[in-house]
Amino acid sequence: MKTLTLTRPDDWHVHVRNGAVLTTVLPHTARQFARAIIMPNLKPPVATVAQAQAYREEILQAIPDGRDFTPLMTLYLTAATSEAEIKLAAEADFIHAVKLYPAGATTHSDAGVGNIGQIYPLLAALERHGLPLLVHGEVSDDDCDIFDRERVFIERHLNAITKEFPALRLVLEHVTTSEAVQFVEAASANVAATITPQHLLFNRNAILAGGIRPHYYCLPVLKRERHRLALLKAATSGNPKFFLGTDSAPHLTNLKETACGCAGCFSAPAALELYAEAFEQVGALDKLEGFASFYGADFYRLPRNSGTVTLAKSAWQIPTVYGDEDVVITPLKSGETLSWKML
Ligand code: NCD
Ligand code: ZN
């Protein structure tokens, strides 16, 4: 059987939620990844070092016995965040970044930043302290077409931010367009990007052609095929600015299969397998280890993992749902056959 062995990978962007959803989803991430950057968009948001510490404790409790997994915590940047809190975050060894959500851009982003100009003093503090800024790069204006929101965010905000704060370490999260790829490639070595499995595998037809498929709906929304091809090229290029971040974003099935469904794809149960499928499409399985296991750690200035994981070319059917009677979550590619399986 064909197999692929990689240094243990990390997930540089994941939503694990809290409460019963946390205990349902975390074992999947902890099985595949050694570490993960934990997104702070809970309700209320994880906006202080004390809240991040409490959330970290809750996550640690949910790790199955015997699993070696480290949550890397982040703070949610709000208009009320102080420079003192950023200093505290930079001093806390368990906090690795601060996340910027433009208000209204995505799930639980109402506490996010309305006026990006107003947070420049905070960006200066992040730059000074060397703490990375993770960016949800979409404008949220009603009059901006949803398929243009990432490109417009880059033009309107990111060009200015990287110019004003050249030493700021910045990750443009879950990039979805050729314009985002070009922006990251042209920026300094302080700027990187994560790429999700769904944006490497699917274009917007997956959501809308032949019927509306809510489990393919996430934000930023899937784009045209030419954008998918640009992302696949970037991910498999060996350029260390592009690394793995699943953006696995579980929502209860009934909250996605409804008149106004939530944004987010739950990819954690088969994340590595999905990436392997995408890399194999372009004959680039030899580039998966750098993308999944090296470049993110290097960017975050953390040691690369020891140990390995092995995938086998062995077809299996992903369950239609995960959870129990109280928590039902539909995974990406629910009920479909995957060609790689993590052993
Ligand atoms: C994320 C969520 O559900 O928390 N949803 C998504 O579609 N990606 C939020 C986010 O990362 O935008
Ligand atoms: Zn996300």
Side-chain angles (χ1 to χ4, degrees):
M1 195 190 300
K2 187 169 161 188
T3 62
L4 178 66
T5 295
L6 310 174
T7 300
R8 284 185 80 198
D10 303 303
D11 185 349
W12 300 100
H13 182 135
V14 69
H15 302 264
V16 295
R17 317 302 190 199
N18 55 1
V21 176
L22 171 66
T23 51
T24 302
V25 303
L26 189 71
H28 297 288
T29 291
R31 185 177 74 88
Q32 295 217 328
F33 298 103
R35 299 171 291 202
I37 284 278
I38 308 293
M39 287 294 136
N41 61 333
L42 299 185
K43 270 218 136 57
V46 180
T48 65
V49 173
Q51 285 170 314
Q53 187 162 18
Y55 185 30
R56 180 173 177 272
E57 288 303 320
E58 192 186 348
I59 293 169
L60 293 177
Q61 294 301 317
I63 300 172
D65 287 344
R67 278 273 174 233
D68 165 26
F69 172 76
T70 306
L72 308 172
M73 307 309 293
T74 62
L75 288 196
Y76 189 126
L77 196 71
T78 75
T81 302
S82 65
E83 288 177 45
E85 199 68 39
I86 286 177
K87 181 165 184 284
L88 271 183
E91 287 162 2
D93 56 0
F94 59 94
I95 295 185
H96 296 270
V98 168
K99 179 76 188 276
L100 168 61
Y101 290 100
T106 188
T107 307
H108 297 167
S109 64
D110 34 304
V113 174
N115 180 344
I116 291 187
Q118 266 174 11
I119 60 155
Y120 269 36
L122 300 178
L123 303 187
L126 290 171
E127 183 184 45
R128 228 174 21 252
H129 293 294
L131 196 59
L133 176 73
L134 314 183
V135 180
H136 184 111
E138 287 190 289
V139 298
S140 55
D141 316 32
D142 284 337
D143 60 358
C144 182
D145 189 280
I146 187 147
F147 292 101
D148 296 334
R149 289 180 178 193
E150 183 175 272
R151 177 178 56 76
V152 172
F153 187 91
I154 292 167
E155 290 164 5
R156 201 179 286 171
H157 301 297
L158 278 185
N159 286 325
I161 288 173
T162 49
K163 206 166 183 187
E164 185 76 20
F165 306 104
L168 177 64
R169 292 158 67 216
L170 185 151
V171 184
L172 183 52
E173 297 293 333
H174 40 52
V175 288
T176 66
T177 57
S178 61
E179 290 86 352
V181 167
Q182 281 161 17
F183 166 78
V184 172
E185 284 173 348
S188 80
N190 291 323
V191 176
T194 53
I195 308 183
T196 79
Q198 65 267 25
H199 292 101
L200 293 176
L201 287 168
F202 306 110
N203 62 39
R204 63 197 199 175
N205 284 8
I207 322 170
L208 295 169
I212 185 155
R213 293 189 177 75
H215 300 294
Y216 291 84
Y217 172 61
C218 67
L219 288 171
V221 71
L222 296 175
K223 304 294 193 303
R224 286 178 179 277
E225 180 65 2
R226 72 177 170 85
H227 295 293
R228 184 185 79 86
L229 293 174
L231 298 170
L232 200 48
K233 193 170 168 205
T236 59
S237 66
N239 183 340
K241 290 170 153 241
F242 298 97
F243 46 82
L244 186 157
T246 62
D247 194 24
S248 178
H251 292 277
L252 299 184
T253 295
N254 65 309
L255 297 178
K256 287 194 64 76
E257 297 176 2
T258 182
C260 183
C262 297
C265 298
F266 177 47
S267 60
L272 265 184
E273 290 94 329
L274 293 164
Y275 282 110
E277 208 160 299
F279 276 60
E280 190 177 35
Q281 270 183 13
V282 290
L285 281 172
D286 60 318
K287 297 291 199 299
L288 185 58
E289 186 176 42
F291 176 81
S293 315
F294 296 158
Y295 306 150
D298 297 348
F299 182 87
Y300 277 90
R301 300 177 181 162
L302 291 169
R304 294 179 179 182
N305 295 315
S306 54
T308 57
V309 296
T310 298
L311 301 176
K313 189 80 187 280
S314 163
W316 63 292
Q317 198 184 8
I318 184 164
T320 51
V321 292
Y322 286 88
D324 54 30
E325 57 276 10
D326 298 321
V327 174
V328 179
I329 304 171
T330 303
L332 189 65
K333 295 200 87 173
S334 164
E336 290 185 48
T337 301
L338 301 185
S339 56
W340 287 93
K341 185 157 183 37
M342 189 175 143
L343 300 178

